[in-house]
Amino acid sequence: MATTEELKRKAAEAALEYVKPGMVLGLGTGSTARLFLEGVARLVESGMDLKAVPTSLATAEAAKKMGVPLTSLEESMWLDLCVDGADEVDRRLNLIKGLGGALFREKIVATASKRFVVVVDQSKLSSRLGTKAPVPVEAHPFGWKNVSAALQALGAQVELRQKEGEPFRTDNGNHILDAAFGPIQRAAKLASAIAGIPGVVGHGLFLGMAHAVLVGTPKGVRTLVPRQTT
């Protein structure tokens, strides 16, 4: 039986097929995205001309150690490809992201990319968002309790994320509120409601953004693409 780590690696390795010489990449944050980064480092070491924009300080540090050349959105406003993980993926390839705390920058980089490819193991698939993961909400420290109350009014059970006994801080200096709504019936409506709360910097609902989801399974990698609507 393949381990979760092995399934993640299968998906990450499959994503390397999307990488072409001369590309500017968006590098995600998290365990599966880290495996993709390791593959990118091998391509760079072999002589492939690549540059990348990291979505977190941790990813930037790892990329530097691996010898992957970095750039920024100021220097490279539009990217060719972003590869990142996800915490939950529904049947329409909508995502919950942000359990790693980098959701704000991840959404900016994914939106700035011509193609956004998501890499996950099969445990992240669900029939409806919110079944397996809470929705992370990045909130400014000023008034975060008001944001929490507003999320509760929308039906969530809310926890302030902690790290080593203190409120977790994102790379942007903000708090993360993990809002558990249970299975979400109307994700777009909820996303709009969360975004409209004063003090919210960003949220982990990534709707209609993924161009492909690569799923590591014991039988290989499944490639999921959004259904075409007419």
Side-chain angles (χ1 to χ4, degrees):
M1 179 68 70
T3 66
T4 299
E5 180 75 8
E6 290 169 338
L7 299 183
K8 290 179 178 181
R9 187 173 294 279
K10 284 183 179 182
E13 292 290 329
L16 293 173
E17 297 181 10
Y18 291 83
V19 180
K20 306 301 179 186
M23 278 188 166
V24 181
L25 306 174
L27 298 176
T29 295
S31 58
T32 313
R34 172 63 179 254
L35 296 173
F36 173 74
L37 172 57
E38 292 174 2
V40 170
R42 293 197 304 271
L43 294 177
V44 170
E45 187 176 8
S46 71
M48 186 177 288
D49 177 27
L50 298 169
K51 292 190 294 185
V53 174
T55 55
S56 66
L57 299 179
T59 296
E61 182 178 358
K64 289 177 182 177
K65 289 181 178 179
M66 295 182 196
V68 176
L70 297 181
T71 183
S72 67
L73 289 179
E74 287 77 15
E75 297 173 341
S76 303
M77 187 174 176
W78 305 112
L79 313 182
D80 297 295
L81 171 69
C82 176
V83 176
D84 204 350
D87 302 302
E88 190 170 4
V89 182
D90 74 7
R91 293 171 179 172
R92 295 186 177 182
L93 307 192
N94 294 316
L95 319 170
I96 288 179
K97 289 179 50 57
L99 294 189
L103 59 124
F104 179 74
R105 299 189 188 194
E106 286 174 336
K107 188 171 286 187
I108 292 175
V109 171
T111 303
S113 300
K114 297 175 184 176
R115 179 173 288 183
F116 177 35
V117 175
V118 177
V119 287
V120 296
D121 67 272
Q122 63 183 6
S123 71
K124 301 301 175 64
L125 301 181
S126 74
S127 59
R128 195 177 296 275
L129 292 184
T131 303
K132 296 185 176 183
V135 178
V137 178
E138 185 163 346
H140 195 280
F142 182 82
W144 71 265
K145 286 190 176 181
N146 300 74
V147 174
S148 178
L151 291 170
Q152 291 176 55
L154 292 175
Q157 294 183 343
V158 183
E159 291 187 6
L160 175 66
R161 190 177 298 182
Q162 302 282 322
K163 183 178 182 180
E164 298 177 353
E166 298 290 337
F168 173 84
R169 292 278 185 159
T170 69
D171 288 347
N172 312 305
N174 298 315
H175 293 329
I176 294 284
L177 297 169
D178 289 312
F181 290 93
I184 298 169
Q185 302 297 322
R186 302 176 67 182
K189 182 178 180 180
L190 179 61
S192 179
I194 294 173
I197 299 171
V200 168
V201 178
H203 59 75
L205 291 170
F206 285 51
L207 308 180
M209 294 177 61
H211 294 96
V213 176
L214 307 183
V215 185
T217 78
K219 295 183 179 180
V221 177
R222 294 173 57 197
T223 300
L224 308 179
V225 296
R227 294 180 180 178
Q228 298 296 322
T229 58
T230 58

